[in-house]
Coordinates of all heavy atoms in Angstrom, one line a residue:
M1337 N 180.8 71.8 100.5 CA 181.1 73.0 99.7 C 182.5 73.2 99.3 O 182.8 73.6 98.2 CB 180.6 74.2 100.5 CG 180.7 75.5 99.8 SD 179.4 75.7 98.5 CE 179.5 77.4 98.2
P1338 N 183.5 72.9 100.2 CA 184.9 73.1 99.8 C 185.3 72.2 98.6 O 186.1 72.7 97.7 CB 185.7 72.7 101.0 CG 184.8 72.8 102.2 CD 183.4 72.6 101.6
Q1339 N 184.8 71.0 98.5 CA 185.2 70.1 97.4 C 184.6 70.7 96.1 O 185.2 70.6 95.0 CB 184.6 68.7 97.6 CG 185.4 67.9 98.6 CD 184.9 68.3 100.0 OE1 183.9 68.9 100.2 NE2 185.7 67.9 101.0
L1340 N 183.4 71.3 96.1 CA 182.8 72.0 94.9 C 183.7 73.1 94.5 O 184.0 73.3 93.3 CB 181.4 72.5 95.2 CG 180.7 73.2 94.1 CD1 180.5 72.3 92.9 CD2 179.4 73.8 94.6
L1341 N 184.2 73.9 95.4 CA 185.1 75.1 95.0 C 186.4 74.6 94.4 O 186.8 75.1 93.4 CB 185.4 75.9 96.3 CG 184.2 76.7 96.9 CD1 184.6 77.3 98.1 CD2 183.7 77.7 95.9
C1342 N 187.0 73.5 94.9 CA 188.2 72.9 94.3 C 187.9 72.3 92.9 O 188.8 72.4 92.1 CB 188.8 71.9 95.2 SG 189.5 72.6 96.7
R1343 N 186.8 71.7 92.7 CA 186.4 71.2 91.4 C 186.3 72.2 90.3 O 186.6 71.9 89.2 CB 185.2 70.4 91.5 CG 185.3 69.1 92.2 CD 184.1 68.2 92.2 NE 184.3 67.0 93.0 CZ 183.3 66.2 93.3 NH1 182.1 66.4 92.8 NH2 183.6 65.1 94.0
I1344 N 185.9 73.4 90.7 CA 185.8 74.5 89.7 C 187.1 75.3 89.6 O 187.1 76.3 88.9 CB 184.6 75.3 89.9 CG1 184.6 76.1 91.3 CG2 183.3 74.5 89.7 CD1 183.5 77.1 91.4
G1345 N 188.1 74.9 90.4 CA 189.4 75.6 90.3 C 189.7 76.7 91.3 O 190.6 77.4 91.1
L1346 N 188.8 76.8 92.3 CA 189.1 77.9 93.3 C 189.7 77.3 94.5 O 189.1 77.1 95.6 CB 187.7 78.5 93.7 CG 187.0 79.2 92.5 CD1 185.7 79.7 92.9 CD2 187.9 80.4 92.0
H1347 N 191.0 76.9 94.4 CA 191.7 76.3 95.5 C 192.1 77.4 96.5 O 192.2 78.6 96.2 CB 193.0 75.6 95.0 CG 192.7 74.5 94.1 ND1 192.3 73.2 94.6 CD2 192.7 74.3 92.8 CE1 192.1 72.4 93.6 NE2 192.3 73.0 92.5
K1348 N 192.4 77.0 97.7 CA 192.9 77.9 98.8 C 194.3 77.4 99.1 O 194.5 76.4 99.7 CB 192.0 77.8 100.0 CG 192.4 78.7 101.1 CD 191.4 78.7 102.3 CE 191.8 79.7 103.3 NZ 190.9 79.6 104.5
W1349 N 195.3 78.1 98.5 CA 196.7 77.7 98.5 C 197.4 78.1 99.8 O 197.2 79.2 100.3 CB 197.5 78.2 97.3 CG 196.9 77.7 96.0 CD1 196.3 78.4 95.1 CD2 197.0 76.3 95.5 NE1 196.0 77.6 94.0 CE2 196.4 76.3 94.3 CE3 197.6 75.1 96.0 CZ2 196.3 75.2 93.5 CZ3 197.5 74.0 95.2 CH2 196.8 74.0 94.0
R1350 N 198.3 77.2 100.3 CA 199.2 77.5 101.4 C 200.6 77.3 100.8 O 200.9 76.2 100.3 CB 199.0 76.5 102.6 CG 200.0 76.8 103.7 CD 199.8 75.8 104.8 NE 200.1 74.4 104.5 CZ 201.3 73.9 104.5 NH1 202.3 74.6 105.0 NH2 201.5 72.6 104.2
N1351 N 201.4 78.3 100.7 CA 202.8 78.2 100.1 C 203.8 77.7 101.2 O 203.7 78.1 102.3 CB 203.2 79.6 99.6 CG 202.3 80.1 98.5 OD1 201.9 79.3 97.6 ND2 202.0 81.3 98.5
Y1352 N 204.7 76.9 100.7 CA 205.8 76.4 101.6 C 207.0 76.0 100.7 O 206.9 76.1 99.5 CB 205.3 75.2 102.4 CG 205.0 74.0 101.7 CD1 205.9 72.9 101.5 CD2 203.7 73.8 101.0 CE1 205.6 71.8 100.8 CE2 203.4 72.6 100.3 CZ 204.4 71.6 100.2 OH 204.1 70.5 99.5
G1353 N 208.0 75.6 101.4 CA 209.2 75.1 100.6 C 210.3 76.2 100.7 O 210.3 77.1 101.5
D1354 N 211.3 76.0 99.8 CA 212.4 76.9 99.7 C 212.0 78.3 99.1 O 211.1 78.4 98.3 CB 213.5 76.3 98.8 CG 214.0 75.0 99.3 OD1 214.0 74.8 100.6 OD2 214.5 74.2 98.5
H1355 N 212.7 79.3 99.6 CA 212.6 80.7 99.0 C 213.5 80.8 97.8 O 214.7 80.4 97.9 CB 213.0 81.7 100.0 CG 212.0 82.0 101.1 ND1 210.9 82.8 100.9 CD2 211.8 81.5 102.3 CE1 210.2 82.8 102.0 NE2 210.7 82.0 102.8
V1356 N 213.0 81.3 96.7 CA 213.8 81.5 95.5 C 213.6 82.9 95.0 O 212.5 83.5 95.0 CB 213.4 80.5 94.4 CG1 214.2 80.7 93.1 CG2 213.6 79.1 94.9
L1357 N 214.7 83.6 94.6 CA 214.6 84.9 94.0 C 214.4 84.8 92.5 O 215.2 84.2 91.8 CB 216.0 85.7 94.3 CG 216.0 87.1 93.7 CD1 215.0 88.0 94.4 CD2 217.4 87.6 93.8
I1358 N 213.3 85.4 92.1 CA 213.0 85.3 90.6 C 213.0 86.8 90.1 O 213.0 87.7 90.9 CB 211.6 84.8 90.4 CG1 210.5 85.6 91.0 CG2 211.5 83.3 90.8 CD1 209.1 85.2 90.6
S1359 N 213.2 86.9 88.8 CA 213.1 88.2 88.2 C 212.2 88.2 86.9 O 212.2 87.2 86.3 CB 214.5 88.7 87.8 OG 215.1 87.9 86.8
F1360 N 211.5 89.3 86.7 CA 210.6 89.4 85.5 C 210.6 90.8 85.2 O 211.0 91.7 85.9 CB 209.3 88.8 85.9 CG 208.6 89.3 87.1 CD1 207.8 90.4 87.0 CD2 208.9 88.8 88.3 CE1 207.2 90.9 88.2 CE2 208.3 89.3 89.5 CZ 207.4 90.4 89.4
K1361 N 210.0 91.1 84.0 CA 209.9 92.5 83.5 C 208.5 92.9 83.4 O 207.7 92.1 82.9 CB 210.6 92.6 82.2 CG 212.1 92.4 82.3 CD 212.9 92.8 81.0 CE 214.4 92.6 81.3 NZ 215.2 93.0 80.2
E1362 N 208.2 94.1 83.8 CA 206.8 94.7 83.8 C 206.9 95.9 82.9 O 207.9 96.5 82.7 CB 206.4 95.1 85.2 CG 206.1 94.0 86.2 CD 204.8 93.3 85.9 OE1 203.9 94.0 85.4 OE2 204.8 92.1 86.2
P1363 N 205.7 96.2 82.2 CA 205.7 97.4 81.4 C 205.9 98.7 82.3 O 205.5 98.8 83.4 CB 204.3 97.4 80.8 CG 203.8 96.0 81.0 CD 204.5 95.4 82.2
G1364 N 206.7 99.6 81.7 CA 207.0 100.8 82.4 C 206.0 101.9 82.2 O 205.0 101.7 81.5
I1365 N 206.2 103.0 82.8 CA 205.2 104.2 82.7 C 205.3 104.7 81.3 O 204.2 105.0 80.7 CB 205.6 105.3 83.7 CG1 205.4 104.7 85.1 CG2 204.7 106.5 83.5 CD1 205.8 105.6 86.2
V1366 N 206.4 104.8 80.7 CA 206.6 105.3 79.4 C 206.4 104.2 78.4 O 206.8 103.1 78.6 CB 208.0 105.9 79.2 CG1 208.2 106.4 77.7 CG2 208.3 107.0 80.2
L1367 N 205.6 104.4 77.4 CA 205.2 103.4 76.4 C 206.5 102.8 75.7 O 207.4 103.6 75.3 CB 204.3 104.0 75.3 CG 203.8 103.1 74.3 CD1 202.8 102.1 75.0 CD2 203.0 103.8 73.2
G1368 N 206.6 101.5 75.7 CA 207.7 100.8 75.1 C 208.9 100.5 76.0 O 209.9 100.0 75.6
T1369 N 208.8 100.9 77.3 CA 209.9 100.7 78.2 C 209.4 99.5 79.1 O 208.2 99.2 79.3 CB 210.2 101.9 79.1 OG1 209.1 102.3 79.8 CG2 210.7 103.0 78.2
K1370 N 210.4 98.9 79.7 CA 210.1 97.8 80.7 C 210.9 98.0 82.0 O 212.0 98.5 81.9 CB 210.5 96.4 80.1 CG 209.6 96.1 78.9 CD 209.6 94.7 78.6 CE 208.7 94.4 77.4 NZ 208.1 93.2 77.4
R1371 N 210.3 97.6 83.1 CA 210.9 97.8 84.4 C 211.2 96.4 84.9 O 210.3 95.5 85.0 CB 210.0 98.5 85.3 CG 210.5 98.8 86.7 CD 209.4 99.5 87.4 NE 208.3 98.6 87.6 CZ 207.1 99.0 88.0 NH1 206.8 100.2 88.2 NH2 206.1 98.1 88.2
E1372 N 212.4 96.1 85.4 CA 212.7 94.8 85.9 C 212.3 94.7 87.4 O 212.6 95.6 88.2 CB 214.2 94.5 85.8 CG 214.6 93.1 86.2 CD 216.0 92.7 85.9 OE1 216.7 93.4 85.2 OE2 216.5 91.7 86.5
E1373 N 211.6 93.6 87.7 CA 211.2 93.4 89.1 C 211.9 92.1 89.6 O 212.2 91.2 88.9 CB 209.7 93.1 89.1 CG 208.8 94.3 88.7 CD 208.6 95.3 89.8 OE1 208.7 94.9 91.0 OE2 208.5 96.5 89.5
R1374 N 212.2 92.1 90.9 CA 212.7 90.9 91.6 C 211.9 90.6 92.8 O 211.4 91.5 93.5 CB 214.2 91.2 92.0 CG 215.1 91.3 90.9 CD 216.5 91.6 91.3 NE 217.4 91.7 90.2 CZ 218.1 90.8 89.6 NH1 218.2 89.6 90.2 NH2 218.9 91.0 88.6
K1375 N 211.6 89.3 93.1 CA 210.7 88.9 94.1 C 211.1 87.6 94.7 O 211.6 86.7 94.0 CB 209.3 88.9 93.5 CG 208.2 88.6 94.5 CD 206.9 88.6 93.8 CE 205.8 88.3 94.7 NZ 204.5 88.3 94.0
H1376 N 211.0 87.4 96.0 CA 211.2 86.1 96.6 C 209.9 85.3 96.6 O 208.9 85.9 97.1 CB 211.7 86.3 98.1 CG 213.1 86.7 98.2 ND1 214.2 85.8 98.1 CD2 213.7 87.9 98.3 CE1 215.3 86.5 98.2 NE2 215.0 87.8 98.3
V1377 N 209.9 84.1 96.2 CA 208.7 83.3 96.1 C 209.0 81.9 96.7 O 210.2 81.5 96.8 CB 208.2 83.1 94.7 CG1 207.7 84.4 94.1 CG2 209.2 82.4 93.8
Y1378 N 208.0 81.2 97.1 CA 208.1 79.8 97.6 C 208.1 78.8 96.4 O 207.5 79.1 95.4 CB 206.9 79.4 98.5 CG 207.0 80.1 99.9 CD1 206.2 81.2 100.2 CD2 207.9 79.6 100.8 CE1 206.3 81.8 101.4 CE2 207.9 80.1 102.1 CZ 207.1 81.2 102.4 OH 207.2 81.8 103.6
C1379 N 208.7 77.7 96.6 CA 208.8 76.7 95.5 C 207.6 75.7 95.4 O 207.3 75.2 94.4 CB 210.0 75.8 95.7 SG 211.5 76.7 95.3
E1380 N 206.9 75.5 96.5 CA 205.8 74.6 96.5 C 204.5 75.2 97.1 O 204.6 76.2 97.9 CB 206.2 73.3 97.3 CG 207.4 72.6 96.7 CD 207.8 71.4 97.5 OE1 207.1 71.0 98.4 OE2 208.9 70.9 97.2
R1381 N 203.4 74.6 96.8 CA 202.1 75.0 97.4 C 201.2 73.8 97.6 O 201.3 72.8 96.9 CB 201.4 76.1 96.6 CG 200.9 75.7 95.2 CD 200.4 76.8 94.5 NE 199.9 76.4 93.2 CZ 199.3 77.2 92.3 NH1 199.1 78.5 92.6 NH2 198.8 76.8 91.2
E1382 N 200.3 73.9 98.5 CA 199.3 72.8 98.8 C 197.9 73.4 99.1 O 197.8 74.5 99.7 CB 199.8 72.1 100.1 CG 198.8 71.0 100.5 CD 199.3 70.3 101.8 OE1 200.2 70.7 102.4 OE2 198.7 69.2 102.1
C1383 N 196.9 72.8 98.5 CA 195.5 73.3 98.8 C 195.1 72.8 100.1 O 195.2 71.7 100.5 CB 194.6 72.7 97.7 SG 192.9 73.3 97.9
V1384 N 194.6 73.8 100.9 CA 194.2 73.5 102.3 C 192.9 72.6 102.3 O 192.7 71.8 103.2 CB 193.9 74.8 103.0 CG1 193.4 74.6 104.4 CG2 195.2 75.6 103.1
R1385 N 192.0 72.8 101.3 CA 190.8 72.1 101.3 C 190.9 70.7 100.8 O 190.5 69.7 101.4 CB 189.8 72.8 100.4 CG 189.4 74.2 100.8 CD 188.4 74.8 99.9 NE 188.2 76.2 100.2 CZ 188.4 77.2 99.4 NH1 188.7 76.9 98.1 NH2 188.2 78.4 99.7
C1386 N 191.5 70.5 99.6 CA 191.5 69.1 99.0 C 192.9 68.4 99.1 O 193.0 67.2 98.9 CB 191.1 69.2 97.5 SG 192.2 70.1 96.5
G1387 N 194.0 69.1 99.5 CA 195.2 68.5 99.7 C 196.1 68.2 98.5 O 197.2 67.6 98.7
I1388 N 195.8 68.7 97.3 CA 196.7 68.5 96.2 C 197.9 69.4 96.4 O 197.9 70.5 97.0 CB 196.1 68.8 94.8 CG1 195.6 70.2 94.7 CG2 194.9 67.8 94.6 CD1 195.2 70.6 93.3
K1389 N 199.1 68.9 95.9 CA 200.3 69.7 96.0 C 200.9 69.9 94.6 O 200.8 69.1 93.7 CB 201.3 68.8 96.8 CG 200.9 68.6 98.2 CD 202.0 67.8 98.9 CE 201.5 67.6 100.4 NZ 202.5 66.8 101.1
E1390 N 201.5 71.1 94.5 CA 202.1 71.5 93.2 C 203.5 72.1 93.5 O 203.7 72.7 94.6 CB 201.3 72.6 92.5 CG 200.0 72.0 92.0 CD 199.2 73.0 91.2 OE1 199.4 74.2 91.3 OE2 198.3 72.6 90.5
K1391 N 204.4 72.0 92.5 CA 205.8 72.5 92.6 C 206.0 73.5 91.5 O 205.6 73.2 90.4 CB 206.8 71.3 92.5 CG 208.2 71.7 92.8 CD 209.1 70.5 92.9 CE 210.4 70.9 93.3 NZ 211.3 69.8 93.5
R1392 N 206.6 74.6 91.8 CA 206.9 75.6 90.8 C 207.9 75.2 89.8 O 209.0 74.6 90.2 CB 207.3 76.9 91.4 CG 207.2 78.1 90.5 CD 207.6 79.4 91.3 NE 206.7 79.7 92.4 CZ 205.7 80.6 92.3 NH1 205.5 81.2 91.2 NH2 205.0 80.9 93.4
K1393 N 207.7 75.4 88.5 CA 208.7 75.1 87.5 C 209.4 76.4 87.1 O 208.8 77.4 86.9 CB 207.9 74.5 86.3 CG 208.7 73.8 85.3 CD 207.8 73.2 84.3 CE 208.6 72.5 83.2 NZ 207.7 71.9 82.2
F1394 N 210.8 76.3 87.0 CA 211.6 77.4 86.7 C 212.4 77.2 85.4 O 212.6 76.1 85.0 CB 212.6 77.7 87.9 CG 212.0 78.0 89.2 CD1 211.9 77.1 90.2 CD2 211.6 79.3 89.4 CE1 211.3 77.4 91.4 CE2 211.0 79.7 90.6 CZ 210.9 78.7 91.6
T1395 N 212.8 78.4 84.9 CA 213.7 78.3 83.7 C 214.8 79.4 84.0 O 214.6 80.3 84.7 CB 213.0 78.7 82.4 OG1 214.0 78.5 81.3 CG2 212.5 80.0 82.4
D1396 N 216.0 79.2 83.4 CA 217.1 80.1 83.6 C 217.0 81.2 82.6 O 216.8 81.0 81.4 CB 218.5 79.4 83.4 CG 218.7 78.4 84.6 OD1 218.3 78.7 85.7 OD2 219.3 77.3 84.3
N1397 N 217.3 82.5 83.1 CA 217.4 83.6 82.2 C 218.8 83.7 81.7 O 219.7 83.1 82.2 CB 217.0 84.9 82.9 CG 215.5 85.0 83.3 OD1 214.7 84.4 82.5 ND2 215.2 85.6 84.4
I1398 N 219.0 84.6 80.7 CA 220.3 84.8 80.1 C 221.3 85.3 81.2 O 222.5 85.0 81.2 CB 220.3 85.8 78.9 CG1 219.4 85.1 77.8 CG2 221.6 86.1 78.4 CD1 219.1 86.1 76.7
D1399 N 220.8 86.2 82.1 CA 221.7 86.8 83.1 C 221.9 85.9 84.3 O 222.5 86.4 85.3 CB 221.2 88.2 83.5 CG 219.8 88.1 84.1 OD1 219.2 87.0 84.1 OD2 219.3 89.1 84.6
G1400 N 221.4 84.7 84.3 CA 221.7 83.8 85.4 C 220.6 83.7 86.5 O 220.7 83.0 87.4
T1401 N 219.6 84.5 86.4 CA 218.5 84.5 87.3 C 217.4 83.5 86.9 O 217.4 83.0 85.8 CB 217.8 85.9 87.5 OG1 217.3 86.3 86.2 CG2 218.8 86.9 88.0
L1402 N 216.5 83.2 87.8 CA 215.4 82.3 87.5 C 214.1 83.0 87.2 O 213.8 84.1 87.7 CB 215.1 81.4 88.7 CG 216.3 80.4 89.1 CD1 215.9 79.7 90.4 CD2 216.5 79.4 88.0
A1403 N 213.3 82.4 86.3 CA 212.0 82.9 86.0 C 211.0 81.8 86.1 O 211.2 80.7 85.6 CB 212.0 83.5 84.6
P1404 N 209.8 82.0 86.7 CA 208.8 80.9 86.9 C 208.1 80.8 85.6 O 207.8 81.7 84.9 CB 207.9 81.4 88.0 CG 208.0 82.9 87.9 CD 209.4 83.2 87.5
I1405 N 207.8 79.5 85.2 CA 207.1 79.3 83.9 C 205.8 78.4 84.2 O 205.1 78.2 83.2 CB 208.0 78.6 82.9 CG1 208.5 77.3 83.4 CG2 209.1 79.5 82.4 CD1 209.2 76.5 82.3
G1406 N 205.5 78.1 85.4 CA 204.3 77.3 85.6 C 204.4 76.4 86.9 O 205.3 76.5 87.7
W1407 N 203.4 75.6 87.0 CA 203.3 74.6 88.1 C 203.2 73.2 87.6 O 202.6 73.0 86.6 CB 202.0 75.0 89.0 CG 202.1 76.3 89.6 CD1 201.6 77.5 89.2 CD2 202.7 76.6 90.9 NE1 201.8 78.5 90.0 CE2 202.5 78.0 91.1 CE3 203.3 75.8 91.9 CZ2 202.9 78.6 92.3 CZ3 203.7 76.4 93.0 CH2 203.5 77.8 93.2
V1408 N 203.7 72.3 88.4 CA 203.7 70.9 88.1 C 203.1 70.2 89.3 O 203.5 70.4 90.4 CB 205.1 70.3 87.9 CG1 205.1 68.8 87.6 CG2 205.8 71.0 86.7
R1409 N 202.0 69.3 89.1 CA 201.4 68.6 90.1 C 202.3 67.5 90.7 O 202.9 66.8 89.9 CB 200.1 68.0 89.6 CG 199.3 67.2 90.5 CD 198.0 67.8 91.1 NE 197.5 69.0 90.6 CZ 196.2 69.1 90.2 NH1 195.5 68.0 90.1 NH2 195.8 70.2 89.8
I1410 N 202.3 67.4 92.0 CA 203.1 66.4 92.7 C 202.2 65.2 93.0 O 201.2 65.4 93.7 CB 203.7 66.9 94.0 CG1 204.7 68.1 93.7 CG2 204.5 65.8 94.7 CD1 205.2 68.8 95.0
V1411 N 202.5 64.1 92.4 CA 201.7 62.9 92.6 C 202.5 62.0 93.6 O 203.6 61.5 93.4 CB 201.5 62.1 91.3 CG1 200.7 60.9 91.6 CG2 200.9 63.0 90.3
E1412 N 201.9 61.8 94.8 CA 202.5 61.0 95.8 C 202.1 59.5 95.6 O 200.9 59.2 95.3 CB 202.1 61.4 97.2 CG 202.6 62.8 97.5 CD 202.3 63.3 98.9 OE1 201.7 62.5 99.6 OE2 202.5 64.5 99.2
A1413 N 203.0 58.6 95.8 CA 202.7 57.2 95.7 C 201.9 56.7 96.9 O 202.0 57.2 98.0 CB 204.0 56.3 95.7
D1414 N 200.9 55.8 96.7 CA 200.1 55.3 97.7 C 200.9 54.6 98.8 O 201.8 53.8 98.4 CB 199.0 54.4 97.2 CG 198.0 55.1 96.3 OD1 197.9 56.4 96.5 OD2 197.4 54.5 95.5
E1415 N 200.7 54.8 100.0 CA 201.4 54.2 101.1 C 201.1 52.7 101.1 O 202.0 51.9 101.5 CB 201.1 54.8 102.4 CG 201.6 56.2 102.6 CD 201.3 56.8 103.9 OE1 200.8 56.1 104.8 OE2 201.4 58.0 104.0
D1416 N 199.9 52.3 100.7 CA 199.6 50.8 100.7 C 200.4 50.0 99.7 O 200.8 48.9 100.0 CB 198.1 50.6 100.4 CG 197.2 51.3 101.5 OD1 197.7 51.4 102.6 OD2 196.1 51.7 101.1
K1417 N 200.7 50.6 98.6 CA 201.5 49.9 97.6 C 203.0 49.8 98.0 O 203.7 48.9 97.6 CB 201.4 50.7 96.3 CG 200.1 50.6 95.7 CD 200.0 51.4 94.4 CE 198.6 51.4 93.8 NZ 198.5 52.1 92.5
T1418 N 203.5 50.8 98.8 CA 204.9 50.7 99.2 C 205.2 49.8 100.4 O 206.3 49.5 100.6 CB 205.4 52.1 99.5 OG1 204.6 52.7 100.5 CG2 205.3 53.0 98.2
K1419 N 204.2 49.5 101.2 CA 204.4 48.7 102.3 C 204.5 47.2 101.9 O 203.8 46.7 101.1 CB 203.2 48.8 103.3 CG 203.0 50.1 104.0 CD 201.9 50.1 104.9 CE 201.7 51.4 105.6 NZ 200.5 51.5 106.5
P1420 N 205.5 46.5 102.5 CA 205.7 45.1 102.2 C 204.5 44.2 102.7 O 203.9 44.6 103.8 CB 207.0 44.7 102.9 CG 207.2 45.7 103.9 CD 206.5 47.0 103.5
A1421 N 204.2 43.2 102.0 CA 203.1 42.3 102.5 C 203.5 41.5 103.7 O 204.7 41.0 103.7 CB 202.7 41.4 101.3
Q1422 N 202.6 41.3 104.6 CA 203.0 40.5 105.8 C 202.2 39.2 105.9 O 201.1 39.1 105.5 CB 202.7 41.3 107.1 CG 203.7 42.5 107.1 CD 203.4 43.3 108.4 OE1 202.5 43.0 109.2 NE2 204.2 44.3 108.6

């Protein structure tokens, strides 16, 4: 059952890695206004069920803060290919 859930995109993520302060703007109470939010987030995550890993992708804002723009899958090299032949 867990593999079926991951195949349809319902992963169970465990966050880890460095803490980064990001900033983003949310709509305010008054129409046309925006409220700035700041939050600490982790840089990487791993699915507990299937084991895939992803790293958060960031971009710089004009004021020097970071903003998240998505996730990049981390592809690990096979250990069998890196081991020297004996």
Side-chain angles (χ1 to χ4, degrees):
M1337 184 76 165
Q1339 289 80 13
L1340 176 64
L1341 293 174
C1342 288
R1343 285 185 185 173
I1344 62 173
L1346 298 173
H1347 296 281
K1348 186 175 182 181
W1349 297 111
R1350 179 182 66 88
N1351 296 320
Y1352 67 96
D1354 298 331
H1355 284 275
V1356 176
L1357 178 66
I1358 61 169
S1359 66
F1360 52 94
K1361 294 189 178 184
E1362 291 285 329
I1365 296 173
V1366 179
L1367 188 63
T1369 61
K1370 295 199 180 214
R1371 180 181 66 194
E1372 185 172 344
E1373 297 279 332
R1374 292 180 183 262
K1375 185 177 179 183
H1376 286 278
V1377 296
Y1378 287 102
C1379 289
E1380 298 178 11
R1381 66 183 182 178
E1382 177 182 10
C1383 179
V1384 176
R1385 295 184 192 120
C1386 65
I1388 64 169
K1389 296 180 180 181
E1390 292 183 342
K1391 187 172 188 174
R1392 195 179 297 262
K1393 195 173 178 182
F1394 295 102
T1395 185
D1396 293 326
N1397 290 330
I1398 296 172
D1399 59 354
T1401 59
L1402 293 175
I1405 58 172
W1407 294 93
V1408 177
R1409 178 104 12 122
I1410 299 172
V1411 180
E1412 295 180 7
D1414 294 335
E1415 292 179 11
D1416 297 333
K1417 293 179 182 179
T1418 58
K1419 290 182 181 177
Q1422 294 180 356

